[in-house]
Each structure stands twice: as structure tokens, then as C-alpha cells.
Amino acid sequence: MRHVLIVVWMLLCAMASANAQVSVGLGIALPGVSIGIHLPAYPQLVRVPGYPVYYAPQVDSNYFFYDGLYWVYEDDSWYSSSWYDGPWGLVDPQAVPLFVLRIPVRYYRAPPPYFRPWRADAPPRWGEHWGGDWERNRNGWDRWNRRTAPAPAPLPAYQRRYTQDRYPKQPEQQQIHGQNYRYQPRDPAVRQQQHRPEPRPEQQRQPQPERQQNDRGQGQGAGQDHGKGKD
């Protein structure tokens, strides 16, 4: 009997170890990762003055919209998605669009601690943070003629209809988006993100701890300064 119990115990340990390995593997799957953000409804989006970018003032995250995609800066990484609550794809620092990099510090609603010494009316010091190689490859990223800034992309307002109880999954998201949002990105960096491989279903909405957003403006629409998408 004692030998039987030992064998059963060893089998249970082996199963637990295998499950742990599967969990870790799923938790780091890319693209389509969970980044700890959960929006119960479409957030209020307000234009950043002078920039073709929107931010979400009532979302406790660094949450933006630019050129047809949503952008989030979380845990020192950039992510993008065509839907307001993901799934999110990791964006390489070298591939982040210039106008996303140029967003002033004051519009980051959950800035990391190293932002504190930096000017609120200037963009984060990405070269200081990401190092010399990044700075050399993105030389001049913070110099631009503000009078030539492009107009902002129209907001995908049709997504207001999809609260969490109706939030679609892939490939339904792609189909709905194509039927309701005709805008085509102008920024080459955004087009590159738009054409990345779609996440497999098992890679979406990974079981990581989520931060429930207290967005009092969610579902109320966006700021007054926005284009009109097909709704």
C-alpha cells in the first residue's frame, strides 16, 4: 500500500509540473497577450492638442489612439490593437510610430517613476531610456514641424456598441472592423502593425492579473474634436 501511495504522489507531482509549464508557456504567448488592462466599455477619447493623437483621460493607463489603432504603454513596453480592449500585440521600440513617441508626458495617466524628472510638456526621453542604439536608429524622432502635423484619424465609434458582454473575439473582430471602419492608416509604422499575424484563439486574453478600469466616461463617446468613421 505504501508503494502505491508513493507512485500516486509521484504521478500527481509530474502532472502539476506539466500544468505549470503549460501555464508559463501560455502566459508569454505573443502576439495577443493580456497586459493587465480591462475596459468594460468603450473609453472616452480626447484629442491631444496639436497632435494627431487621442488619449483616454479617465482610464488609469497610458492609453492612446493614433492612425486607426489603440496604443498602450505598460510595463516599459508598447502594445497596439485595432479594438479598444485588445487583444494586444507587442510593438518593438524601433517600430513605435513617431507621433506616438512624441506624446507629451502629461498625457500619460499612469507614468512610470522614471518619467518624474522629465518636462510635462515634452515627450519622454526615449533615447535616454532605450539607449544609444535606439537613439541612433531613430535620430530626429523628436524634431518636427508642428504646422505640418497630419489630421487625426477618425475614431472607430462603432465599437461603442460592443461592451464586455458583447465583446467579439477573433476572427469576428476582424470581420466587424472591416465592415464598419474604412479608414486606411497613412503612417508606414502603423501599417506594419496592422499587417502583423493575427493571434491564435488560445493566445488571446491570457489569464494574467487584470486591473479593472474605473472609467467614468466609458460609453459616453469621445471628445468633440474627432473625425467621423462609419458607424
Side-chain angles (χ1 to χ4, degrees):
M1 182 65 180
R2 178 182 178 185
H3 292 294
V4 173
L5 291 175
I6 292 175
V7 171
V8 172
W9 178 80
M10 292 176 65
L11 288 172
L12 290 174
C13 288
M15 291 173 62
S17 176
N19 287 338
Q21 292 176 358
V22 171
S23 176
V24 171
L26 291 177
I28 61 174
L30 291 173
V33 297
S34 170
I35 57 175
I37 293 177
H38 177 68
L39 300 179
Y42 189 81
Q44 181 190 27
L45 294 169
V46 177
R47 175 88 180 272
V48 175
Y51 293 75
V53 179
Y54 291 86
Y55 78 110
Q58 296 177 335
V59 174
D60 295 329
S61 298
N62 305 311
Y63 188 101
F64 307 99
F65 180 84
Y66 166 68
D67 206 29
L69 292 181
Y70 303 90
W71 303 83
V72 170
Y73 188 64
E74 182 76 13
D75 292 333
D76 290 346
S77 294
W78 280 103
Y79 300 88
S80 68
S81 176
S82 60
W83 278 77
Y84 73 87
D85 198 31
W88 301 95
L90 181 66
V91 182
D92 187 276
Q94 298 287 356
V96 180
L98 291 176
F99 278 105
V100 174
L101 295 172
R102 293 166 177 165
I103 299 169
V105 168
R106 66 161 48 99
Y107 297 101
Y108 286 75
R109 306 303 297 166
Y114 54 84
F115 276 31
R116 290 173 186 166
W118 300 343
R119 287 175 46 186
D121 61 346
R125 299 176 185 174
W126 297 117
E128 180 179 310
H129 180 62
W130 281 325
D133 288 342
W134 183 92
E135 185 75 45
R136 284 187 290 273
N137 290 333
R138 306 301 300 267
N139 184 39
W141 67 271
D142 56 347
R143 297 192 298 271
W144 56 291
N145 185 348
R146 296 175 184 272
R147 292 176 295 182
T148 62
L155 294 170
Y158 75 92
Q159 293 183 11
R160 296 191 187 106
R161 303 194 298 262
Y162 296 93
T163 54
Q164 278 304 312
D165 59 336
R166 301 185 60 214
Y167 199 77
K169 297 180 180 180
Q170 291 285 0
E172 188 182 4
Q173 278 189 353
Q174 188 176 6
Q175 179 181 1
I176 296 172
H177 193 70
Q179 292 172 347
N180 291 274
Y181 193 67
R182 304 299 185 184
Y183 175 82
Q184 295 298 318
R186 294 165 298 196
D187 190 319
V190 177
R191 291 199 296 268
Q192 180 182 0
Q193 297 303 315
Q194 190 182 49
H195 295 148
R196 67 174 175 241
E198 295 293 342
R200 296 191 303 271
E202 66 269 21
Q203 290 178 317
Q204 299 175 15
R205 296 176 120 27
Q206 303 302 329
Q208 297 180 0
E210 292 185 337
R211 180 169 64 251
Q212 182 75 28
Q213 298 295 332
N214 180 20
D215 186 352
R216 293 167 296 176
Q218 288 174 342
Q220 296 177 0
Q224 295 181 350
D225 186 8
H226 63 78
K228 294 182 180 179
K230 182 179 178 181
D231 195 355

